[in-house]
Amino acid sequence: MKTTLSIILLAATYALSIPTIVNAQYYETPASFSTLNKEIRPFKINIPQAKLDQLKERIAQTRFPDRETVKDESQGIQLAQLKDLVSYWGTGYDWRKLEKKLNALPQYVTHIDGLDIQFIHVRSKETNALPLILTHGWPGSPLEFIDAIGPLTDPVSYGGKAEDAFDVIIPAIPGYGFSEIPKEIGWNPDRVAKAWNVLVKRLGYTKYVSEGGDHGSVISDALARQAPSGLLGIHLTMPATIPSELVKPINAGDPAPAGLSEDERNAYVALSTFFGKNAAYGGMMVTRPQTTGYLLSDSPSALAAFLYEKIAEWSESDLHPENVIGRDAILDDITLYWLTNTGASSSRFYWENSNNNFSSDHQKTKDIRVPVAISVFPHEIYQAPESWSKAAYPSLYYYHKAPKGGHFAAWEQPQVFTEELRAAFKPLRLH
């Protein structure tokens, strides 16, 4: 059964469903909670050991299916590959290493529009650093950007110049990571974008830029359409550029029409293949997120399979993302989903954003007047052609093909990602 473009979303990562005071078991805050909602509170992760022990017990009790009947990945992630990952997860992986790494960073939580939003905020030592908000996607998380923090905030130590510096803000989308899980409908990309603007202004910034891939691209698009005061521009790694006349033929799996350039034809074929063979996960999450959540909340190995398959497919790794991202880093991300029990809530963000992420008509990109920059990574789900990008985004001022990397640009290639942002946002620093 084919999944239509109109119900596929590509993205996400989110958080704890419990109110703030109960949430205190996961982080340390000042003793009193009787403060104004606009307060920015320090955040430290402290997962109870009992939860980590329980995770290992459940991993040990995994009942795997029988082996696939093909010799490739056409039926999904192969049994031997997943068993190897899960075995290490249960016996060799150490969550506390990540916890220590994150707790060494400036982490905070603040209340916006009824929810606690958790975020990392690292200020550069350089003067006139440009404030930058980075938004993750699914099956990633704020962890995608951790290794890019150094190059972004301290460019001199990573081959750049002092004037390349950014102040970095990395929030978790509501329903992902350690941000609060929404209890009502309506937390769609537009609402998240409004919350991001509040967050940046609450931190004291009057001007800033936004970057995102996957859900982050959709949220950055929404932010650019809203065009709040101080937003200088956005950078996208997964732009919405499919011409409206090509949506139906791509979804139907029709041959590429005549008259397309080589880049356009390649993009057409990649999208047709994706929606025809690899997008069923999105159809599940956008139509039945709660049912999907039961599976992802009850079985750690099922959660690992669901997330790891897409990390493998979408990274530039020949289906072995451990070689690019690292096995521990992948398990950090999967474990974050498990410990925060956000399988259902992260899926519901797909339900909230039921438009296709790639279609320029659906994303109303032509309404955007804020400056737009696009970096195309060679192993992204599709490589947005420059012609489509210019047509979709009238305010496009920067378009560049990165030399390496995939869907998880910052996670896979933090230095290349950083260089793209330095180049893309350089003209906007003068404003």
Side-chain angles (χ1 to χ4, degrees):
M1 178 178 179
K2 286 194 174 182
T3 311
T4 61
L5 284 173
S6 60
I7 66 168
I8 295 296
L9 271 163
L10 300 172
T13 335
Y14 186 58
L16 293 174
S17 58
I18 336 176
T20 303
I21 295 178
V22 179
N23 251 7
Q25 65 177 310
Y26 291 99
Y27 59 81
E28 301 164 5
T29 62
S32 174
F33 284 89
S34 59
T35 52
L36 294 174
N37 282 343
K38 291 184 178 180
E39 183 193 14
I40 296 172
R41 308 189 301 273
F43 179 102
K44 294 291 183 181
I45 304 165
N46 183 21
I47 300 295
Q49 185 60 41
K51 289 187 174 291
L52 300 177
D53 294 340
Q54 182 191 61
L55 170 59
K56 290 186 179 293
E57 291 171 3
R58 295 181 74 126
I59 291 172
Q61 295 170 3
T62 298
R63 184 176 72 166
F64 289 100
D66 58 309
R67 183 187 178 279
E68 63 277 358
T69 55
V70 293
K71 295 183 178 180
D72 57 23
E73 73 289 346
S74 59
Q75 293 181 350
I77 200 70
Q78 292 178 292
L79 179 61
Q81 190 171 0
L82 186 68
K83 272 190 170 182
D84 182 62
L85 180 76
V86 170
S87 174
Y88 175 73
W89 194 17
T91 59
Y93 170 76
D94 183 3
W95 163 266
R96 296 298 185 197
K97 290 182 180 179
L98 174 67
E99 199 171 88
K100 183 178 180 180
K101 183 177 182 178
L102 292 177
N103 284 341
L105 295 170
Q107 300 179 96
Y108 305 93
V109 64
T110 193
H111 202 72
I112 300 176
D113 195 9
L115 293 180
D116 273 358
I117 304 298
Q118 187 268 338
F119 63 98
I120 297 167
H121 180 211
V122 182
R123 293 184 184 271
S124 173
K125 65 181 180 181
E126 304 294 346
T127 57
N128 299 318
L130 180 62
L132 165 67
I133 188 164
L134 299 164
T135 308
H136 63 86
W138 182 96
S141 67
L143 300 181
E144 295 176 48
F145 301 109
I146 298 302
D147 289 342
I149 292 175
L152 289 168
T153 60
D154 185 14
V156 175
S157 298
Y158 291 87
K161 300 177 181 179
E163 56 264 34
D164 294 328
F166 295 91
D167 282 356
V168 173
I169 308 156
I170 310 173
I173 297 170
Y176 289 79
F178 290 107
S179 285
E180 194 173 349
I181 292 176
K183 302 298 191 300
E184 61 181 7
I185 63 172
W187 273 96
N188 54 33
D190 286 337
R191 191 169 177 180
V192 174
K194 290 177 182 177
W196 278 193
N197 184 58
V198 171
L199 173 60
V200 173
K201 302 293 176 57
R202 188 171 294 178
L203 290 170
Y205 297 114
T206 57
K207 295 181 179 180
Y208 68 101
V209 292
S210 175
E211 195 286 329
D214 197 88
H215 285 331
S217 285
V218 181
I219 292 167
S220 292
D221 268 359
L223 189 60
R225 286 197 305 274
Q226 295 164 11
S229 64
L231 178 65
L232 300 179
I234 64 171
H235 176 270
L236 311 172
T237 58
M238 197 191 79
T241 67
I242 303 176
S244 57
E245 67 272 16
L246 295 182
V247 171
K248 287 185 178 179
I250 286 173
N251 187 58
D254 294 342
L260 297 182
S261 68
E262 182 179 359
D263 281 355
E264 292 168 348
R265 179 177 292 275
N266 290 340
Y268 184 100
V269 171
L271 286 162
S272 183
T273 300
F274 172 78
F275 285 107
K277 296 182 178 180
N278 298 318
Y281 78 97
M284 293 166 60
M285 295 166 79
V286 80
T287 60
R288 292 294 185 270
Q290 192 66 21
T291 303
T292 304
Y294 297 131
L295 172 71
L296 304 182
S297 296
D298 185 63
S299 168
S301 296
L303 175 70
F306 201 66
L307 273 59
Y308 178 78
E309 180 186 75
K310 296 309 170 190
I311 295 171
E313 286 181 353
W314 298 345
S315 58
E316 190 175 33
S317 64
D318 196 24
L319 299 178
H320 292 280
E322 299 88 347
N323 298 335
V324 175
I325 298 170
R327 183 167 60 174
D328 279 10
I330 293 168
L331 288 172
D332 288 340
D333 183 65
I334 295 171
T335 307
L336 178 63
Y337 276 87
W338 176 262
L339 293 175
T340 56
N341 194 14
T342 49
S345 56
S346 60
S347 297
R348 283 195 291 268
F349 192 76
Y350 278 73
W351 184 88
E352 291 283 1
N353 178 23
S354 58
N355 287 332
N356 172 257
N357 280 10
F358 296 142
S359 169
S360 59
D361 268 9
H362 290 181
Q363 293 301 321
K364 302 177 182 177
T365 58
K366 293 181 181 179
D367 294 341
I368 293 174
R369 294 296 178 264
V370 171
V372 175
I374 292 174
S375 295
V376 177
F377 285 79
H379 203 80
E380 180 56 273
I381 293 170
Y382 88 113
Q383 289 71 55
E386 186 170 10
S387 57
W388 291 4
S389 299
K390 288 180 176 178
Y393 295 91
S395 57
L396 182 73
Y397 72 95
Y398 176 91
Y399 176 96
H400 186 250
K401 292 182 178 181
K404 54 185 176 180
H407 184 69
F408 310 98
W411 211 11
E412 299 174 54
Q413 300 294 337
Q415 185 65 27
V416 174
F417 174 79
T418 298
E419 290 167 359
E420 285 297 314
L421 266 59
R422 290 174 184 168
F425 287 132
K426 189 177 185 64
L428 303 186
R429 290 179 182 270
L430 303 177
H431 292 271

